[in-house]
Each structure stands twice: as C-alpha cells, then as structure tokens.
Amino acid sequence: MTNPVLRLASYNIQKCVGLDLRRQPRRILQVLEQVRAQIVVLQEADKRMPPRPAALPHFVLNEAGWQAANLGGAGSLGWHGNAIIWKGRGVELIDHGHLVLPGLEPRGAVWACFGTPIGTLRVVGAHLGLTGGARREQVQRLAQRTQDWLDMPMIWAGDFNDWARQPSFCALAPNMTFLPPKPSFPAIRPLAPLDRIALSAGLKSMRSGVHMAQPAHIASDHLPIWADLQAN
C-alpha cells in the first residue's frame, strides 16, 4: 500500500495585483488550482490600509471550494496579511492562532493544526522583515515559541525575504530543516529563493518545486513554492 502524500504550498500573492498592475483574485485561484496543493500558506492576502479587507475575497475562495482559517477580523482573510487555506478530502482544521513577532515593521505569524491523510500536523505561516537583523529576531522568536509544540509534526512556510541560499537564520531554528532553496522571486525571471518551507521531525519531503506555468509568471511578483510531504 502506498503511503499517503500531502502537497503544501506557500504563495505571496501581492494583494492579488499582478505584474500587469491588475488586481485579479480569480487569476490567483487559477494558479492555485494548477499547483494542486491541499494546504496553502498565503502572504499579502489582505489590503494594506485598515481595516485591511481581504484582497482575495472570502466569497471567491468559497466559490472555488477553498476554506480559510478564521485568522482575521473586519473582513480580513488573515493576520498581518498571513492566511492559511485548504481544500480537498481528508483535510480538517483542528485549531488555529497567532504568533507575535518582533521588529519595527508590523509583522506576525499564524498557525493552524490539521488532521490530514498523513496525520495531524501544525502549519506555521510567516512573512519576515526586510532587514537581516529583523529576520534573525523573528526566526529566533518563532523557534522559541514553537519549541514545546511536540504533540504533532510542524511545517514552517512563507516569504522569508532573504536572498541568500543558506541564510544565517537557519541556524537559529535547530529543530527545523529547511528544504533546498529554489528561486521564486521575481516571478518574471526568478533569481532569489525568498520563499521557504521547513519541516520538523516526523515529516519528510518526497519532492519540492516552484510553480512556473502561466499565469503564475504575471499573477504576482512571487511564484508559489510547493512540497509533497509524507510522515516519516
């Protein structure tokens, strides 16, 4: 019997504004359908100004069969722009919440626990700061806040905003293994591995990649990344 596989993706959707400067939420969903992930961590899922309404509207997600963790308020899809959505049989939300991150910029992380075909797991989504010092502080805070979450395997995913193939912040999270980096930014000609996925013990990646098929090259300034996961 083949062991089940779960596909998880991370995508900075730039408030659904593409490189053609058009805001097209359904184009983002077209990309997500091509990626075929069951769980997706989103960044920049809300508009910038208060009350930060969803850039990817709830009704558009619902029409396409996606569900979203209730992480926002006043019509937001997420928290600090971070959202977690899922679709497909066998994926069930168990719990969810926020993690406050340090830094001068308003940053935060979100988490959700799921029952899935590969077992229960916790997904943490984050969009880190623009400076190296802020990113190190934020990864250190994530590591500290999650080090006691031993009840289930854990995934970190998001826009880590670092151009280096082996950023210094990796050493600050010894319980997490970052998957090999793949260029995902800028979408039109990807050079930098800004988007990352990291796994705790209990999970392994069978394969991972960057989705480059049209219209991903223009739907956002980032390309989505994905990983096929199994229990280890």
Side-chain angles (χ1 to χ4, degrees):
M1 183 176 178
T2 304
N3 291 333
V5 175
L6 177 85
R7 177 165 288 190
L8 177 136
S10 178
Y11 193 13
N12 183 328
I13 63 174
Q14 195 183 217
K15 305 172 187 64
C16 297
V17 177
L19 296 182
D20 56 0
L21 303 182
R22 296 179 179 178
R23 189 185 302 276
Q24 295 192 4
R26 287 184 173 83
R27 183 167 58 183
I28 293 294
L29 287 185
Q30 182 182 352
V31 174
L32 291 179
E33 292 297 332
Q34 294 173 349
V35 175
R36 294 180 290 109
Q38 292 138 290
I39 300 175
V40 181
V41 175
L42 300 174
Q43 302 86 50
E44 298 194 29
D46 298 323
K47 297 179 182 178
R48 183 178 300 275
M49 301 303 293
R52 300 198 67 164
L56 182 56
H58 292 78
F59 76 89
V60 174
L61 284 169
N62 295 339
E63 286 175 355
W66 290 93
Q67 300 182 70
N70 184 17
L71 296 162
S76 298
L77 184 63
W79 191 64
H80 287 287
N82 299 297
I84 302 175
I85 63 175
W86 72 95
K87 182 179 184 180
R89 297 173 59 183
V91 179
E92 181 181 358
L93 181 68
I94 298 172
D95 198 4
H96 59 274
H98 305 153
L99 293 171
V100 177
L101 298 182
L104 295 177
E105 305 168 79
R107 298 286 178 177
V110 296
W111 60 268
C113 300
F114 291 97
T116 79
I118 66 171
T120 56
L121 52 86
R122 180 178 277 105
V123 178
V124 177
H127 187 182
L128 301 189
L130 296 175
T131 68
R135 290 191 292 271
R136 288 189 291 273
E137 277 192 283
Q138 289 157 5
V139 169
Q140 189 169 37
R141 177 67 59 84
L142 280 175
Q144 291 169 345
R145 292 294 305 275
T146 63
Q147 65 182 347
D148 296 327
W149 287 354
L150 305 177
D151 53 332
M152 63 186 72
M154 180 167 54
I155 304 159
W156 290 3
D159 180 355
F160 281 68
N161 250 329
D162 199 304
W163 288 63
R165 291 188 60 82
Q166 188 68 21
S168 60
F169 61 63
C170 293
L172 300 175
N175 295 328
M176 304 298 295
T177 300
F178 283 83
L179 299 187
K182 294 178 170 61
S184 57
F185 178 88
I188 196 70
R189 187 182 179 187
L191 299 172
L194 301 190
D195 304 284
R196 307 289 179 116
I197 296 173
L199 308 178
S200 75
L203 292 170
K204 61 182 178 180
S205 172
M206 308 305 295
R207 62 194 68 84
S208 61
V210 179
H211 180 76
M212 303 181 69
Q214 296 183 14
H217 71 298
I218 198 171
S220 171
D221 60 344
H222 287 244
L223 296 170
I225 63 171
W226 56 269
D228 287 339
L229 307 176
Q230 284 186 332
N232 189 7

